[in-house]
Amino acid sequence: MVNPLKPLVRIGSYRSVPFGLLGMVMTAVPFPIALIPAVLIPGDVRLKFVYGMLSMGVLVALAGLPGPMRRVGIWFANQMLGTRIAQPLPNTKIAWPERWRSAAWLVVHTALGWVLFGLGSFLMLGFVFAAVWTGGGGSPIEVFGERVTVEPGTGGLWTLPLALVTLVLIAYVLIGFTRLFQYGAVALLGPSAAERVAAAEVRANHFEQRNRLARELHDSIGHTLTTSTIQAAAAAELVDSEPQLVRKALGTIEESSRAALEDLDHVLGLLREDRSSREPERRLIEAATLAERARSGGALIDYELTGPAAELPATLSREAYRIVQEGLTNALRHAHPGPVSVRVAVLADALRIEIVNPLVAHAAVSGRGGNGLPGLTERVEALRGELVAGPAVDGEPLWRLVTTIPLRSHS
């Protein structure tokens, strides 16, 4: 059940008072200019008053047309009325439909400010009269320069409830104007459909960028950590018997770590919006080094690349490198020390990547988890390709990942 007395004790209910005063103050600048047509155009007093009000409305509307005035109006509404109107996107030009809405809001703001002042003054005058009548009358009151005296004996304590009712009425008027200001601000300063669409596109691009950065970190750093772990474990076993292989493994760890640092610097540069951070050029023809690093750590990798990989478009070649990297990382993580087969074929109309590794017992029970496979799926779908991953259908204990990407859409 709604409590009608609750708004009376809430300070925020009376936000219309300072906000209305702000609207009245804003008319002080155009007021002298608005008097010019009222003075120059012939007519009676009422006609001159109409001319003056029309001139005032036009001047206030013109003041609200500049683009920055929309941002200023939203800021004042949020600060003084407690609204949560979203500001227009930064570094964007305010369209004319929104400018006209801002101009209409400025006219409404100033007009309601004066209406609130006039109505509030009238009601306050009634409260003062009722309060004077409580004493029985006889006390003079000055109203607009005129002294008004209530006849003695016409008042009394019976006017006290009238004074209280008048005071409550004033409070509800202020509350009503607060709601009116809030509704008007949201309606005229709130984002339009076009602004909502633009904001949604910015959010979508932001999330897409975050997902892309997450994939880059997962693929590059994840692969490096996986291969480095395998190589470090192999080096620990051979440190006494095969020092030459240990040195080779340590060199491979250093080389892969340097490559991962380049990728990390690129991603951090994007997070800092550092335009000077250039993305490392990883191409499909460089994917053979991934297999070499894994072999140096003791992994059994059978890698084969056929077809004109050097002629692939740069974007597709870079994404194909990441697909091989992530697929090989997943295979090493789940199949080590079993053999891994990597077949990359650049065909006439498609790029085909097939990675096959033993399906060990724990992987068969738990399945593939983590972010690797979803990240691969996102990459392949972005290239309009298809990805199939799962146990081999011929009954062998193998896990097969096959990616097919059409070449025509990237030529």
Side-chain angles (χ1 to χ4, degrees):
M1 183 177 180
V2 180
N3 186 359
L5 299 179
K6 190 175 182 179
L8 295 176
V9 296
R10 188 181 301 152
I11 298 179
S13 300
Y14 305 101
R15 296 175 183 267
S16 58
V17 176
F19 198 71
L21 289 175
L22 175 64
M24 294 171 57
V25 170
M26 287 190 296
T27 61
V29 175
F31 180 75
I33 303 176
L35 288 178
I36 296 176
V39 173
L40 297 180
I41 299 177
D44 57 14
V45 176
R46 290 176 295 182
L47 191 58
K48 289 180 177 292
F49 176 79
V50 172
Y51 289 149
M53 291 297 99
L54 291 176
S55 301
M56 178 70 72
V58 171
L59 292 173
V60 171
L62 292 176
L65 284 178
M69 288 300 296
R70 183 171 182 79
R71 302 180 189 274
V72 173
I74 292 175
W75 186 88
F76 273 108
N78 289 339
Q79 295 297 320
M80 301 183 70
L81 294 177
T83 56
R84 297 180 179 180
I85 304 172
Q87 284 281 4
L89 296 175
N91 301 323
T92 56
K93 185 177 180 181
I94 307 297
W96 278 106
E98 280 67 47
R99 294 191 183 196
W100 284 112
R101 292 171 63 211
S102 302
W105 165 245
L106 198 59
V107 174
V108 170
H109 181 189
T110 55
L112 287 181
W114 280 102
V115 172
L116 176 60
F117 172 75
L119 184 58
S121 300
F122 177 78
L123 293 175
M124 184 59 68
L125 187 62
F127 169 76
V128 172
F129 272 109
V132 172
W133 288 343
T134 303
S139 301
I141 304 174
E142 186 169 337
V143 180
F144 302 117
E146 298 292 335
R147 296 178 65 85
V148 179
T149 303
V150 180
E151 293 295 331
T154 58
L157 293 178
W158 67 270
T159 60
L160 182 59
L162 179 61
L164 294 177
V165 169
T166 306
L167 191 61
V168 172
L169 180 60
I170 294 174
Y172 275 117
V173 168
L174 298 178
I175 294 171
F177 269 83
T178 298
R179 301 285 176 83
L180 194 59
F181 276 128
Q182 292 172 339
Y183 292 152
V186 172
L188 294 175
L189 295 180
S192 64
E195 289 176 321
R196 290 191 183 96
V197 170
E201 290 178 351
V202 169
R203 287 193 297 268
N205 291 336
H206 175 70
F207 289 135
E208 182 181 356
Q209 180 78 343
R210 289 180 58 183
N211 289 335
R212 188 172 73 87
L213 296 181
R215 288 197 305 267
E216 294 290 335
L217 282 176
H218 179 272
D219 294 351
S220 60
I221 306 302
H223 175 80
T224 300
L225 292 177
T226 299
T227 55
S228 297
T229 301
I230 295 173
Q231 292 160 355
E237 295 178 359
L238 301 175
V239 66
D240 295 325
S241 59
E242 299 287 346
Q244 293 294 336
L245 293 178
V246 172
R247 279 193 288 270
K248 182 179 179 181
L250 293 177
T252 305
I253 292 175
E254 179 184 6
E255 181 184 350
S256 60
S257 298
R258 290 182 185 278
L261 283 176
E262 293 180 5
D263 293 334
L264 183 60
D265 287 341
H266 163 64
V267 173
L268 293 179
L270 291 178
L271 290 174
R272 293 191 301 264
E273 296 185 355
D274 184 6
R275 300 304 179 186
S276 63
S277 176
R278 188 173 62 89
E279 182 174 0
E281 289 296 333
R282 310 293 186 202
R283 301 177 67 86
L284 180 59
I285 57 177
E286 302 176 31
T289 60
L290 300 174
E292 289 296 332
R293 292 170 188 169
R295 291 193 193 103
S296 65
L300 302 177
I301 307 295
D302 181 13
Y303 179 84
E304 182 182 25
L305 171 62
T306 59
E311 299 177 6
L312 291 176
T315 301
L316 177 59
S317 183
R318 183 172 60 249
E319 292 299 313
Y321 174 92
R322 293 301 187 192
I323 292 172
V324 173
Q325 184 183 51
E326 176 58 20
L328 184 57
T329 301
N330 289 341
L332 292 174
R333 188 175 298 159
H334 294 283
H336 186 74
V340 178
S341 171
V342 181
R343 296 287 183 268
V344 182
V346 182
L347 306 176
D349 58 349
L351 170 65
R352 178 182 171 86
I353 301 172
E354 181 180 15
I355 301 176
V356 181
N357 60 269
L359 185 62
V360 296
H362 70 85
V365 174
S366 61
R368 294 299 176 101
N371 298 319
L373 194 55
L376 275 176
T377 303
E378 291 178 1
R379 284 187 183 276
V380 174
E381 289 179 350
L383 297 171
R384 300 179 182 177
E386 296 181 355
L387 183 145
V388 179
V393 297
D394 52 10
E396 297 184 21
L398 299 174
W399 181 276
R400 179 176 283 108
L401 184 147
V402 180
T403 299
T404 305
I405 301 173
L407 297 182
R408 289 189 298 271
S409 59
H410 303 279
S411 58

